[in-house]
Structure formats: C-alpha cells, structure tokens
Amino acid sequence: MKKSDSIFLGLTLVLSACGGNVSKKAGDDAVATADTLDTFVFAGNPIVRDKFTADPAPMVHDGRLYLYVGHDEYYAGQDTASGGKEFNITEWLCYSTDDMKTWTDHGSVLRPTDFKWAVGEAWASQVVEKNGKFYYYTTVQGGEPYVGKAVGVAVSDSPTGPFVDAIGRPLVSDDMTDNGKRGWWNDIDPTVLIDGDDAWLCWGNGTCFMAKLKPNMIELDGEIRTIDLPGYVEGPWLHKAGDTYYLTYASFGKGAETISYATAPSMDGPWTPQGELTGRAENSFTIHPGIVEFNGTWYLFYHNAVLEIDGHKGAIGRRSVCVDTLRYTPEGLMIPVQQTSGL
Ligand code: FUB
C-alpha cells in the first residue's frame, strides 16, 4: 500500500467511526484538494451528513464530479405544513470530488433571489457546460409578473459560480405551457442534454415537457411538446449512453414516488417505457434521479430521508442525497438499482 493510500484509509476509518461528515479545512492534511474549502470523506449514504440535501444534479467537468443540490432547511411549523410548504429551500449548494471518496464543500452557489423576478423556492435544478460556460437551469417561484413556478437559467465561467441570471426573466414561465394536471406549479425540475450541436430542455410536474434549446442555451428553439410516459410525476433526467437516449423520472409508486425510465433511439423518440429503475426511497415521499458517468463508472444519485440532524428527523422536506452505482445490460437497459445506506 502506498503511503498516501494508508493515510487516506486511516482517515476514512476515523471519520467513518465518527458517523458523519467531519469537515476539515483543505490544506490541513493529505486529503486537501483546495486551499480554503472544507472537505469530508464519504462514509456511505447519505453523502452529506451535516445538512439536509435534495434533488441531486451531478455534472462532470475536467476530471471532477460536481454535485448540485437543494438545501432542505428545517423551520418551526414544518411538520404540520402542507401544499408545498413542507419544503423550505432557499439556496443551492455545490460539492465536488475527483475520486468519489473525498468531497469538497463549495457552499451556496446560487439562490432563487439571485433572479430578480423570483421570490424563492430553490427546487430541482441541473448544471451543464458548453463552450467553457456553465448554465444553471433551476426551478424557482416567480414573482410578478411571472407568478407561479418557473424555470430560470443562470450562467458562470466556473462550475462553482458566481452564477448570474442569464436573461433577466424566466426561460419557461407558467403562461408558456398548458396547466394540465398540476396547474400553476407544473413548470418545475429542468434537465438538459447536450448532444453534439443540439441541446434539449425537459421539465414538468404532471406533464413531461420537452423543447429544443438554441445554440446560445438561453432560448427555446421551436415548440414545446409533451412526452407521454407511464406514471410520470416529476423530476426528469436526460442522459445518453452509447447510441441510446434515456429519460428517467420520478413515477407514481405505492404511497411514494419511485424512479422509472424510458429509452429512445433519438431525442425525437419514440420513447419506450422500461419500467422501474429503483423503488421508493426510505422515509421519503419524493425521489429524484441524477445520472452521470465518471471515471468509467455510471452513478445514480437520488435522495431519501433517513438522516437526523439536531434532533430533526428526516421528513418530506428534510431529505438526504445518496449515490449508488448503475449498470446496464448488454442490450442497453439499466439494471434496477438497490439503494444502500451507510447509517
Ligand atoms: O425539492 C422540491 C421538489 O421535490 C422537487 O422540485 C421535486 O423534484 C421533488 O423532489
């Protein structure tokens, strides 16, 4: 064993024994990856142990995996709230790793109020890179004149920000889509796939919407269409593996959401339902997929609600982001994922 390996293993055991994220200032020891940021060592799921986190959105850039999450925050009265008030998410956080073991905490990288037209609610998001710019597609609650859930887009020269509103208004506002099953809050949970010169935006609660993006990444290109998927609820995630396109989403399960997916030979479809990728997440009504390949391994990120912090147990609005490996059959189907816990 190399000396650096034994230092790493020793530290892993110490931190694992502590049962949570034990932050260290990078630069303090052998696991340091940056000068001033806190780091911690993965001790099994959930990944982050000192905060509630939800709606994972992984992105790989330049040999590093960046993980963007919503920060679920406890507030007094949360446990009796309903109608969306179960959630109190006022910022998006970013973590990164180059080995899936040691994680760097980049803190808060964007807030809904960074969009002047938005009033709050940092719901699900995804960051993608194109030509050296990082585009942060988010769900927010719009204020006047864009009242309702909306999709915003912010841009940065760095994966960790600062991100600034790219267009000064929503990319998708409530008036742009049929209100369908979920009324004013169906325009949530954006996911973006870049494939060569083309890019697509997909989003929606109750209805799965899809539109092409213009090469500038900040305007829709053409009509908004809908994709018919069995049991579709929300949280779509687009990815491509080999020649196959995958649309993975939160679906109706028994009493809670599960994750299902469909495949297609092109982004124009047809989309073939392929059933459940994983079942409900422990103790959580919602679940949200984020899929990425990193260093030759595919990963499924999702959230459950098993963590307890400061006496506050996991709940619908106090979730925890997890990761498990993802494998494919030779035919290109995703093999159902067994969710693991390190608690
Ligand atoms: O986190 C708030 C909402 O819960 C997200 O936008 C949905 O995907 C669900 O996870």
Side-chain angles (χ1 to χ4, degrees):
M1 186 183 289
K2 287 186 295 186
K3 189 179 173 204
S4 57
D5 288 346
S6 77
I7 292 170
F8 177 78
L9 181 63
L11 187 60
T12 302
L13 292 174
V14 169
L15 297 185
S16 299
C18 293
N21 296 153
V22 177
S23 294
K24 302 185 77 64
K25 285 283 179 208
D28 285 356
D29 56 42
V31 300
T33 56
D35 284 344
T36 55
L37 299 171
D38 285 344
T39 63
F40 61 88
V41 174
F42 181 64
N45 285 322
I47 301 170
V48 178
R49 305 276 182 98
D50 63 346
K51 292 184 185 75
F52 294 114
T53 56
D55 302 327
M59 180 200 66
V60 171
H61 173 70
D62 209 9
R64 255 189 120 68
L65 186 147
Y66 294 84
L67 178 63
Y68 303 89
V69 299
H71 182 190
D72 272 355
E73 296 150 85
Y74 170 80
Y75 72 96
Q78 186 176 43
D79 289 324
T80 51
S82 62
K85 298 294 175 206
E86 305 92 329
F87 302 112
N88 178 36
I89 320 173
T90 63
E91 60 185 356
W92 290 277
L93 309 174
C94 177
Y95 299 87
S96 75
T97 181
D98 61 9
D99 59 5
M100 295 301 283
K101 293 174 185 156
T102 302
W103 289 82
T104 299
D105 181 347
H106 298 276
S108 176
V109 290
L110 186 66
R111 293 173 179 273
T113 45
D114 291 334
F115 298 96
K116 287 205 165 46
W117 48 270
V119 294
E121 302 186 6
W123 288 18
S125 68
Q126 185 176 352
V127 180
V128 296
E129 184 267 342
K130 183 176 177 187
N131 296 338
K133 293 219 176 286
F134 298 84
Y135 296 90
Y136 211 130
Y137 299 86
T138 66
T139 310
V140 289
Q141 178 69 26
E144 292 289 353
Y146 304 109
V147 177
K149 287 284 183 295
V151 173
V153 55
V155 66
S156 175
D157 292 330
S158 155
T160 53
F163 289 90
V164 293
D165 187 353
I167 50 179
R169 57 185 161 70
L171 178 60
V172 178
S173 51
D174 186 44
D175 57 321
M176 291 166 63
T177 60
D178 175 5
N179 268 338
K181 297 176 192 160
R182 287 295 186 285
W184 57 270
W185 60 283
N186 64 356
D187 294 304
I188 68 170
D189 294 2
T191 176
V192 169
L193 176 70
I194 299 175
D195 186 31
D197 292 335
D198 296 319
W200 290 266
L201 175 75
C202 176
W203 72 98
N205 180 304
T207 306
C208 182
F209 298 108
M210 180 94 74
K212 272 197 94 166
L213 285 167
K214 289 188 179 173
N216 64 16
M217 301 298 282
I218 56 173
E219 284 178 89
L220 302 190
D221 188 1
E223 59 164 7
I224 297 173
R225 56 196 171 103
T226 60
I227 311 290
D228 197 19
L229 298 165
Y232 178 83
V233 182
E234 58 184 355
W237 184 269
L238 290 169
H239 80 279
K240 186 182 181 189
D243 292 331
T244 302
Y245 296 82
Y246 298 77
L247 204 176
T248 306
Y249 57 95
S251 48
F252 281 114
K254 286 197 183 80
E257 292 177 351
T258 55
I259 293 178
S260 299
Y261 76 105
T263 56
S266 95
M267 284 300 289
D268 292 326
W271 290 97
T272 304
Q274 303 291 2
E276 271 188 7
L277 178 60
T278 194
R280 61 173 297 175
E282 191 177 345
N283 197 38
S284 180
F285 173 72
T286 66
I287 191 166
H288 190 105
I291 295 174
V292 78
E293 184 183 23
F294 181 53
N295 289 342
T297 301
W298 283 90
Y299 295 97
L300 171 69
F301 289 82
Y302 57 94
H303 61 231
N304 61 22
V306 300
L307 205 58
E308 178 174 334
I309 300 176
D310 296 336
H312 302 300
K313 291 187 187 306
I316 183 170
R318 295 194 294 275
R319 297 162 291 179
S320 300
V321 164
C322 298
V323 64
D324 282 301
T325 52
L326 175 64
R327 294 187 177 80
Y328 298 81
T329 67
E331 294 74 35
L333 297 182
M334 294 193 283
I335 296 173
V337 172
Q338 204 69 39
Q339 297 170 36
T340 63
S341 175
L343 291 179

